[in-house]
Amino acid sequence: MLLELAAQLQLNSNIGKVTCEKNWKWDTRHQPLIDYDLWYAWGGEGTMNLHNHTYDISKGSCFLFRPGDRTLAEHNPQQPLTVTFIHFSLPVVMASELPVYYRIVQDTYLFETYLNHFVETMMTPESEDDSEAKLLLTLLLMQLRREESNTHQPNIDRLSSVIRSIAYQIKQSPGTLHTVETLAEKAQLSPRYFALKFKQIMGITFDQYLIRMRIDRAEHLLRYNGMNVTEVAEALGYNDLSFFSRQFKQVRGKTPSQMLKEAGRIL
């Protein structure tokens, strides 16, 4: 379904992310939409009238307008809306694959990551191939469909996704100073609850995971990047070389120097 939907999408030039002007409104009652429009609110306050129903707009509000829709939207000028809009075309036969008109996105972290990447891809002057953008838009639509089917446990799904996303960030940059406090704030959780859910979802404690990711990266740098033990320890944020060696041995069963000797590298 993913590749089929992506192949059928036709991206239009009306794409972007804006903070709306104080006197902004969006009135298409006399000129209905001619294509599809994925419309997402990053923040602010407003209302959207669609199909004779008025929806409140705030962070996470997401609409998928269809051709022929007539909209009337306004916002609070003291808290202006910031929105991303993506206009696209799709054959009628694929319309049944699309999510509903409106929902509040549960996993905003993942959704906004896709959105930012999509806009960046479309705004890159050197980009001649829109295949990546089509796949990203398809992922956005699929997330909305998935959240529709998981309405019985949205908070659980969102929390699991947020924790796994943070774990992936740690894996990407294990040498960065990661603390429970800063990551808990990013997840919008208390440090204690973040640490508890991290262990439940990842199967090990936050500290154990961080150490494992650092040692995994340390071994890679030692084996394949030609760096010595001191350089690797410094790169991964260890100020005490002996502490790095002890921690490495606890995880791998041997010190970094022993591992290098076994690998045939001269220290």
Side-chain angles (χ1 to χ4, degrees):
M1 182 265 186
L2 174 61
L3 294 178
E4 182 181 0
L5 182 57
Q8 297 293 329
L9 287 170
Q10 294 297 321
L11 300 175
N12 299 346
S13 58
N14 192 5
I15 291 168
K17 179 181 178 181
V18 297
T19 297
C20 301
E21 298 76 13
K22 285 189 174 183
N23 63 343
W24 171 89
K25 71 174 182 178
W26 188 32
D27 187 351
T28 65
R29 290 174 295 178
H30 303 295
Q31 190 176 3
L33 297 177
I34 61 173
D35 55 12
Y36 294 91
D37 180 14
L38 180 64
W39 197 93
Y40 177 78
W42 295 76
E45 289 183 357
T47 59
M48 174 76 70
N49 187 278
L50 177 68
H51 301 158
N52 297 318
H53 183 85
T54 299
Y55 300 89
D56 290 328
I57 305 173
S58 59
K59 177 178 174 58
S61 295
C62 186
F63 295 85
L64 180 58
F65 303 109
R66 271 74 166 172
D69 281 348
R70 303 169 189 266
T71 66
L72 176 59
E74 297 176 315
H75 70 166
N76 178 354
Q78 303 305 316
Q79 297 192 51
L81 291 170
T82 297
V83 301
T84 289
F85 50 93
I86 302 172
H87 285 259
F88 63 96
S89 301
L90 194 68
V92 175
V93 293
M94 298 292 293
S96 61
E97 302 292 340
L98 296 176
V100 296
Y101 283 91
Y102 169 78
R103 74 172 295 102
I104 298 176
V105 175
Q106 298 296 326
D107 187 353
T108 56
Y109 180 87
L110 180 61
F111 197 80
E112 291 174 0
T113 299
Y114 288 151
L115 272 180
N116 276 329
H117 195 175
F118 175 90
V119 173
E120 289 171 6
T121 300
M122 292 299 295
M123 297 301 177
T124 302
E126 298 80 14
S127 178
E128 298 179 356
D129 185 359
D130 63 2
S131 298
E132 182 179 7
K134 287 181 178 180
L135 286 171
L136 286 165
L137 176 54
T138 303
L139 288 170
L140 287 163
L141 296 173
M142 290 184 68
Q143 180 179 337
L144 294 174
R145 282 291 299 269
R146 184 172 62 251
E147 289 192 3
E148 284 177 31
S149 62
N150 291 336
T151 53
H152 60 289
Q153 53 176 8
N155 291 331
I156 295 175
D157 291 336
R158 175 195 171 279
L159 184 56
S160 177
S161 179
V162 169
I163 294 294
R164 292 183 186 281
S165 295
I166 288 174
Y168 183 68
Q169 291 177 53
I170 296 171
K171 183 176 182 178
Q172 283 186 306
S173 58
T176 301
L177 178 60
H178 298 288
T179 67
V180 169
E181 289 73 22
T182 56
L183 296 177
E185 183 178 357
K186 182 177 293 187
Q188 299 181 347
L189 301 171
S190 70
R192 183 176 178 278
Y193 189 65
F194 172 82
L196 175 65
K197 299 309 295 184
F198 191 98
K199 182 177 181 180
Q200 289 180 354
I201 292 169
M202 300 304 299
I204 58 176
T205 68
F206 170 80
D207 288 340
Q208 290 171 332
Y209 181 83
L210 179 57
I211 291 171
R212 182 179 296 179
M213 292 304 101
R214 283 178 173 171
I215 299 307
D216 284 352
R217 181 61 177 164
E219 181 170 355
H220 180 91
L221 294 175
L222 288 167
R223 285 185 181 275
Y224 306 112
N225 285 56
M227 296 173 68
N228 62 40
V229 176
T230 301
E231 291 170 334
V232 169
E234 182 180 350
L236 292 171
Y238 289 93
N239 297 320
D240 186 331
L241 186 60
S242 61
F243 177 71
F244 167 64
S245 296
R246 290 198 303 273
Q247 203 165 77
F248 192 99
K249 185 174 182 179
Q250 289 173 354
V251 177
R252 289 291 187 265
K254 61 190 73 174
T255 67
S257 299
Q258 290 171 336
M259 188 205 73
L260 287 177
K261 288 180 179 178
E262 293 177 3
R265 278 194 54 193
I266 300 174
L267 301 180

